[in-house]
Amino acid sequence: MIHNLVQQLINQALTTQLIERVDERYARNQLLSLLHLEEFMELESTRGKYDEIPDLLDQIVNYACAQGIIEDIFDEKEIFSSKIMNCLIARPSTVNQLFWEKYKQSPKKATQYYYKLSKNSNYIQMKRIRNNIEFKATTEYGMLDITINLSKPEKDPKSIELEQAAKKNDYPKCLLCVENEGYVGRIGHPARSNHRMIRVNLLGDQWYLQYSPYVYYDEHCILLSEKHSDMKVSPKSFLRLLTFVKQFPHYFVGSNADLPIVGGSILSHDHYQGGHYEFAMSKAEADWIFEMAGFPKVECSVVKWPMSVIRLRSKQINMLVEAGAFVLERWKNYSDEGLEIVAKTGETVHNTITPIARKNGELFELDLVLRNNRTNAEHPLGIFHPHADVHHIKKENIGLIEVMGLAVLPARLKEELGEVEKYILGESHMVAAYHLAWADVMKVRYQAIANNANIESLVREELGKKFLKVLEDAGVFKRNEEGRAGFQRFIKRLA
């Protein structure tokens, strides 16, 4: 059986072009070594009939557990699976050489090659990603993307216990450090033997392109600094973002904000996220246009979006950077206490920006999402953060992906929404207490029309409205008369 599985995996590696025919014996012998096998006998049944790579990996890993080669715990199995795939992937130098050779044909061919490699090598966990629940919600701002994240498997109790007891280690310093490339992994730190990064020169500095192991949209990539340094949004950030989309015009790229509450989950390593996807925010039209006297060649508008977004457009990157820097400087020092916007408390800065860059035809675009991370007694987690009435759906930071209109919601909602559906239909249920007020509203609203055929779509529609409320909470200038007047007051500071 194990010989059969090994050959099936080799066959799949050949089919997906991870290896060439000349590599077959070498790769197979590397696999045999990992499996403590000293001989091999190929069976005819392996020719032309084989499972997908993730399924083969699961079977081979199960064999390794049964033979006592590894322990049957999550991290050990992840490490072993990654080691197996490392036998079937070229070294970083070769991957980079092929990437840049294809780039000469077109940037799109280069990223298509690298994305395919990242999926076929099982670095991108496509089998797990397919478990996610994904749908779109119709709103006045366009179609918002909703994802209930089921791709990360839960760790078993033994793995959790070992992780808690493991010796603290600061190598690699974080999950985004370049030292993760090829790192075997350990208890509590993900396996990266099958990880390859693309070297990208940005403004004379070395940056690295990779894909997210758990992609949330097409070609969800991460661009990270070679240096382990804190996130920082600055005019140089704008120049890097625009320089990257000049190199890869089919991609957008953006940065999380650089402050707690409004920033992303990793603020200790400067990085950006991008990809080949058009979010609802990028499709959103101008709500109104304005001019900045110092930048006559830059088109300026406020975007019709639940968060507060200024869009700058120009054919000239340098002009966009200068205009963006002007907005950033004005915003970082702007206060409107009537709207709870305070730039600083003592030496603590509250205002920052989430920037996103893209190429749109002949024009470069720079979206600047205004952020503020203040808290108060009513909103201890953040004034411009999801408020308490939506915490049952989304309590975490609103980072770059959510800003653009894609909700990444917790796995618990899969089961919990099923109970809410039962409640609305009047069936036996176990609705979580924190969903009850929401469920009561829906029960009144839909009791006359809800049935087994439409209940899921009705609840999903309401979930989309909840996410829209999350974005509205995060907007510094609300989309009402008072908020619009406040936004116009700030725009006058840019004139």
Short mmCIF file of all heavy atoms in Angstrom, two decimals, residues 241 252-256 271-275 354-357 400 404:
data_model
loop_
_atom_site.label_atom_id
_atom_site.label_comp_id
_atom_site.label_asym_id
_atom_site.label_seq_id
_atom_site.Cartn_x
_atom_site.Cartn_y
_atom_site.Cartn_z
N LEU A 241 3.83 50.77 -2.67
CA LEU A 241 2.60 50.16 -3.17
C LEU A 241 2.39 50.46 -4.65
O LEU A 241 2.07 49.55 -5.44
CB LEU A 241 1.40 50.67 -2.36
CG LEU A 241 1.36 50.32 -0.87
CD1 LEU A 241 0.18 51.01 -0.19
CD2 LEU A 241 1.29 48.82 -0.65
N PHE A 252 -3.82 44.35 -7.18
CA PHE A 252 -3.90 45.48 -6.26
C PHE A 252 -2.96 45.14 -5.10
O PHE A 252 -2.57 43.99 -4.89
CB PHE A 252 -5.34 45.67 -5.73
CG PHE A 252 -5.68 44.72 -4.61
CD1 PHE A 252 -5.44 45.08 -3.28
CD2 PHE A 252 -6.21 43.47 -4.87
CE1 PHE A 252 -5.72 44.20 -2.25
CE2 PHE A 252 -6.50 42.58 -3.85
CZ PHE A 252 -6.25 42.94 -2.52
N VAL A 253 -2.59 46.14 -4.31
CA VAL A 253 -1.82 45.88 -3.10
C VAL A 253 -2.15 46.97 -2.09
O VAL A 253 -2.35 48.13 -2.46
CB VAL A 253 -0.30 45.80 -3.38
CG1 VAL A 253 0.25 47.15 -3.81
CG2 VAL A 253 0.46 45.26 -2.18
N GLY A 254 -2.23 46.59 -0.83
CA GLY A 254 -2.57 47.56 0.20
C GLY A 254 -1.90 47.23 1.52
O GLY A 254 -1.35 46.13 1.69
N SER A 255 -1.95 48.16 2.43
CA SER A 255 -1.34 47.98 3.74
C SER A 255 -2.39 48.09 4.83
O SER A 255 -3.30 48.93 4.75
CB SER A 255 -0.26 49.04 3.98
OG SER A 255 0.22 49.00 5.31
N ASN A 256 -2.28 47.25 5.84
CA ASN A 256 -3.06 47.48 7.04
C ASN A 256 -2.63 48.79 7.67
O ASN A 256 -1.50 49.27 7.44
CB ASN A 256 -2.86 46.34 8.05
CG ASN A 256 -3.75 45.16 7.76
OD1 ASN A 256 -4.96 45.31 7.63
ND2 ASN A 256 -3.17 43.98 7.65
N HIS A 271 4.51 44.69 6.18
CA HIS A 271 4.07 43.84 5.07
C HIS A 271 2.81 44.42 4.45
O HIS A 271 2.11 45.23 5.05
CB HIS A 271 3.80 42.41 5.55
CG HIS A 271 2.58 42.29 6.41
ND1 HIS A 271 2.55 42.70 7.73
CD2 HIS A 271 1.33 41.81 6.14
CE1 HIS A 271 1.36 42.47 8.24
NE2 HIS A 271 0.59 41.95 7.30
N TYR A 272 2.52 43.97 3.24
CA TYR A 272 1.33 44.38 2.51
C TYR A 272 0.58 43.13 2.05
O TYR A 272 1.13 42.02 2.05
CB TYR A 272 1.69 45.23 1.29
CG TYR A 272 2.64 46.38 1.60
CD1 TYR A 272 3.77 46.59 0.80
CD2 TYR A 272 2.41 47.23 2.67
CE1 TYR A 272 4.65 47.64 1.07
CE2 TYR A 272 3.28 48.28 2.95
CZ TYR A 272 4.40 48.48 2.15
OH TYR A 272 5.27 49.50 2.41
N GLN A 273 -0.68 43.32 1.65
CA GLN A 273 -1.46 42.23 1.06
C GLN A 273 -2.01 42.69 -0.28
O GLN A 273 -2.33 43.86 -0.46
CB GLN A 273 -2.61 41.82 1.99
CG GLN A 273 -2.16 41.19 3.29
CD GLN A 273 -3.32 40.72 4.12
OE1 GLN A 273 -3.91 39.66 3.87
NE2 GLN A 273 -3.68 41.50 5.13
N GLY A 274 -2.11 41.76 -1.21
CA GLY A 274 -2.61 42.09 -2.52
C GLY A 274 -3.23 40.89 -3.19
O GLY A 274 -3.57 39.90 -2.55
N GLY A 275 -3.35 40.97 -4.51
CA GLY A 275 -3.89 39.84 -5.24
C GLY A 275 -4.60 40.24 -6.52
O GLY A 275 -4.66 41.42 -6.89
N THR A 354 -5.37 53.47 6.11
CA THR A 354 -5.22 52.18 5.42
C THR A 354 -5.14 52.49 3.91
O THR A 354 -6.15 52.88 3.32
CB THR A 354 -6.41 51.25 5.70
OG1 THR A 354 -6.50 50.98 7.09
CG2 THR A 354 -6.27 49.94 4.93
N PRO A 355 -3.96 52.36 3.29
CA PRO A 355 -3.83 52.70 1.86
C PRO A 355 -3.94 51.47 0.95
O PRO A 355 -3.49 50.38 1.31
CB PRO A 355 -2.42 53.28 1.79
CG PRO A 355 -1.65 52.53 2.84
CD PRO A 355 -2.64 52.12 3.91
N ILE A 356 -4.54 51.66 -0.21
CA ILE A 356 -4.66 50.59 -1.22
C ILE A 356 -4.32 51.17 -2.59
O ILE A 356 -4.82 52.25 -2.95
CB ILE A 356 -6.07 49.99 -1.26
CG1 ILE A 356 -6.46 49.41 0.10
CG2 ILE A 356 -6.18 48.91 -2.33
CD1 ILE A 356 -7.54 50.18 0.80
N ALA A 357 -3.47 50.48 -3.34
CA ALA A 357 -3.07 50.94 -4.67
C ALA A 357 -3.48 49.94 -5.73
O ALA A 357 -3.51 48.73 -5.49
CB ALA A 357 -1.55 51.15 -4.72
N LEU A 400 -7.27 45.33 6.45
CA LEU A 400 -7.31 45.67 5.03
C LEU A 400 -8.40 44.91 4.27
O LEU A 400 -9.15 45.49 3.49
CB LEU A 400 -5.93 45.38 4.42
CG LEU A 400 -5.80 45.54 2.91
CD1 LEU A 400 -5.92 47.02 2.52
CD2 LEU A 400 -4.48 44.97 2.42
N MET A 404 -12.03 46.54 2.49
CA MET A 404 -12.37 46.52 1.06
C MET A 404 -13.68 45.79 0.78
O MET A 404 -14.15 45.79 -0.36
CB MET A 404 -11.23 45.89 0.27
CG MET A 404 -9.96 46.70 0.28
SD MET A 404 -8.65 46.01 -0.76
CE MET A 404 -8.24 44.52 0.16
#
